[in-house]
Amino acid sequence: MHHYVTQGYVLPNQAHIYWTMMIVLYPYITGIVAGAFIISSLHHVFDRDELKPVSRFAMLMALAFLLCAPLPLLAHLGHPERALNIMFTPNVTSAMAGFGFIYTIYLLILVVEIWLLYRVDIVFLASNAKSEMMRRLYWILALGVTDISEEAKALDRKVMLFLAAIGVPAACFLHGYVGFLFGAIKANPWWASPLMPVIFLLSAIVSGIAMVMVCYLIVQWFNKRPVDSECTQSMMESAWYFVMVDVALEGLELLNHAYMANHDWDIMKHLILDKLLVSLFVVQFLIGSVVPFLLLGAAVVFRNRIPAGVRNVMGFVSGILLLVQVLAMRWNVVMGGQMFSKSFRGFLDFQIDIYGREGLLAVLFLFTLPFVAMLVFSRVLPLWGPISTFPTRWLRDKPPEYVPLKNLTKFK
């Protein structure tokens, strides 16, 4: 049970904060999906070969987080068994119903693209996996398409290129739509803004890039493998560019509220300078934005003067801080918009519960599920490159070295 403290004039029917930490977690997970997919597409669509070491990992990370994205919403619902009603009895005027269809379309695009990317490897593993059970699993995953001729592989990659190209706007639309869900609520001045979808999208890209970079560095350091400095440098540059625009837009949004000084500014001013002072200015802007901006900027501008190992550490610290920044941004948006009363004359406080269906432990549990899914993926498919990088202890035969196809080398 939450313990609410109200201040000022708050009507009895407004004395509860209904959207709790699960609604903070939901856009956070969804945002990582969009950012990870864009990192993968930068290699597959835009020929950023320096991102090749993380391209497959980023795509599977997008799938892992996408599969878990609806779970916070289901945990928040009083009757989660009714969730699919928005699909079976769609209402064209419902924003949440629209999100259900966008989510489904994007999930299909991503699954088909991953299947095409790994199809040749799956066919090889269907006959060369050491375990009989795994060979049967790969046989099912191949879906009966076992042709791995050069013509078949070329067709796979052309279709995958097409899906990757339409997947980028789909990923942007998916998370921009999450921002739209907040920005379209006209009765709440903290949320109602045409910039909200853009801010959500940019912060999503920042969090996705940061998550891929942090996970890549942790895995390489843990396994004592060399870090591809060109790859981390490219991710640091991308994160730096996106965080500049993201923070600038968030600052302009606040400046716009202050300059217009509408009738709701009096309550919003107290919200910003009192209730959200630490989470907004200290955590989100100072620790989560300014510090990584300076670290990433130094790594980009003084690239030739700073050793690669030091730049990797700077990228790791910056990635962690950027993840904190985006989480703080989600918290400030979701909670901040519910902390002032609709009468604009009172405030509510929200205290975090540890236990319960929407408590801190439940949130942490749901947030670990995408990583568990990635561990499962790593047992089934090679995450960090072609089939030759798959552990040989799980194979009966040595994997072949594929020759890149003409004009399609970027998929190898």
Side-chain angles (χ1 to χ4, degrees):
M1 183 65 184
H2 300 292
H3 305 284
Y4 296 104
V5 177
T6 61
Q7 303 167 16
Y9 183 73
V10 178
L11 295 172
N13 62 345
Q14 299 172 3
H16 297 278
I17 290 180
Y18 294 100
W19 288 3
T20 56
M21 289 187 293
M22 286 297 176
I23 306 303
V24 177
L25 181 65
Y26 156 65
Y28 189 63
I29 289 181
T30 312
I32 293 173
V33 174
F37 184 81
I38 286 175
I39 280 290
S40 176
S41 296
L42 284 175
H43 169 62
H44 291 149
V45 180
F46 300 104
D47 295 338
R48 296 281 297 274
D49 287 337
E50 66 274 17
L51 293 172
K52 182 178 178 181
V54 296
S55 62
R56 289 188 173 206
F57 173 75
M59 191 173 287
L60 287 175
M61 173 182 277
L63 177 62
F65 276 84
L66 186 64
L67 291 174
C68 298
L71 297 181
L73 287 180
L74 294 176
H76 175 73
L77 291 175
H79 287 278
E81 74 278 4
R82 301 177 184 172
L84 292 179
N85 287 354
I86 63 170
M87 307 294 289
F88 297 143
T89 57
N91 181 350
V92 294
T93 63
S94 167
M96 283 307 299
F99 176 79
F101 288 106
I102 293 171
Y103 173 87
T104 305
I105 292 171
Y106 180 63
L107 178 61
L108 290 174
I109 291 174
L110 185 58
V111 169
V112 174
E113 189 178 346
I114 290 174
W115 182 78
L116 290 170
L117 178 64
Y118 281 100
R119 193 183 68 80
V120 175
D121 296 341
I122 291 172
V123 172
F124 171 79
L125 291 167
S127 56
N128 291 281
K130 184 166 287 186
S131 165
E132 174 66 22
M133 183 182 70
M134 293 303 292
R135 288 198 295 275
R136 291 181 180 178
L137 173 64
Y138 290 121
W139 181 80
I140 295 172
L141 291 177
L143 301 178
V145 185
T146 57
D147 183 2
I148 55 172
S149 63
E150 295 300 301
E151 293 78 10
K153 289 190 287 187
L155 179 60
D156 285 351
R157 277 142 200 163
K158 287 178 181 176
V159 176
M160 202 183 80
L161 178 62
F162 171 74
L163 291 176
I166 64 174
V168 173
C172 294
F173 200 70
L174 174 72
H175 201 72
Y177 199 83
V178 177
F180 166 78
L181 292 176
F182 289 95
I185 301 177
K186 292 179 284 188
N188 192 317
W190 185 242
W191 292 339
S193 168
L195 283 179
M196 195 61 78
V198 183
I199 291 174
F200 263 72
L201 174 59
L202 289 171
S203 59
I205 295 173
V206 170
S207 65
I209 296 172
M211 184 61 82
V212 173
M213 182 165 58
V214 167
C215 290
Y216 171 67
L217 288 171
I218 289 176
V219 170
Q220 297 300 96
W221 287 337
F222 180 79
N223 292 314
K224 298 181 179 179
R225 295 194 298 236
V227 175
D228 189 318
S229 59
E230 291 297 321
C231 179
T232 54
Q233 183 70 26
S234 178
M235 287 190 283
M236 283 191 286
E237 289 181 5
S238 300
W240 192 48
Y241 299 146
F242 279 110
V243 78
M244 274 193 289
V245 182
D246 176 36
V247 175
L249 284 180
E250 290 174 15
L252 286 172
E253 174 70 14
L254 286 179
L255 182 63
N256 184 61
H257 281 300
Y259 186 77
M260 291 178 64
N262 291 329
H263 68 284
D264 47 42
W265 175 242
D266 285 339
I267 192 79
M268 289 177 60
K269 181 171 59 179
H270 289 290
L271 175 72
I272 294 169
L273 299 177
D274 184 12
K275 299 295 180 184
L276 300 181
L277 179 64
V278 175
S279 61
L280 182 64
F281 289 104
V282 178
V283 179
Q284 182 179 339
F285 282 122
L286 181 60
I287 298 176
S289 300
V290 175
V291 176
F293 172 78
L294 295 176
L295 288 174
L296 293 172
V300 172
V301 175
F302 302 109
R303 172 181 181 176
N304 296 326
R305 299 181 183 181
I306 302 175
V310 177
R311 279 188 278 120
N312 291 336
V313 174
M314 294 167 67
F316 178 77
V317 175
S318 302
I320 295 289
L321 294 178
L322 288 176
L323 291 171
V324 172
Q325 184 254 11
V326 176
L327 181 60
M329 178 265 183
R330 305 293 192 254
W331 173 275
N332 291 326
V333 169
V334 176
M335 293 301 174
Q338 302 176 86
M339 282 184 173
F340 58 88
S341 71
K342 293 182 177 60
S343 66
F344 299 147
R345 296 166 60 190
F347 285 102
L348 286 79
D349 281 334
F350 177 75
Q351 297 182 2
I352 298 175
D353 283 342
I354 302 298
Y355 307 103
R357 197 177 64 178
E358 298 191 59
L360 181 60
L361 293 180
V363 168
L364 293 175
F365 172 74
L366 289 185
F367 188 65
T368 59
L369 291 182
F371 299 99
V372 174
M374 292 177 66
L375 283 176
V376 175
F377 291 160
S378 70
R379 176 61 182 87
V380 178
L381 298 169
L383 296 186
W384 304 103
I387 189 64
S388 57
T389 63
F390 204 53
T392 54
R393 64 181 181 277
W394 294 335
L395 300 175
R396 291 196 303 183
D397 195 8
K398 183 179 178 181
E401 290 289 344
Y402 296 122
V403 178
L405 295 176
K406 186 179 181 180
N407 299 326
L408 292 166
T409 55
K410 55 181 172 294
F411 292 113
K412 284 295 180 182

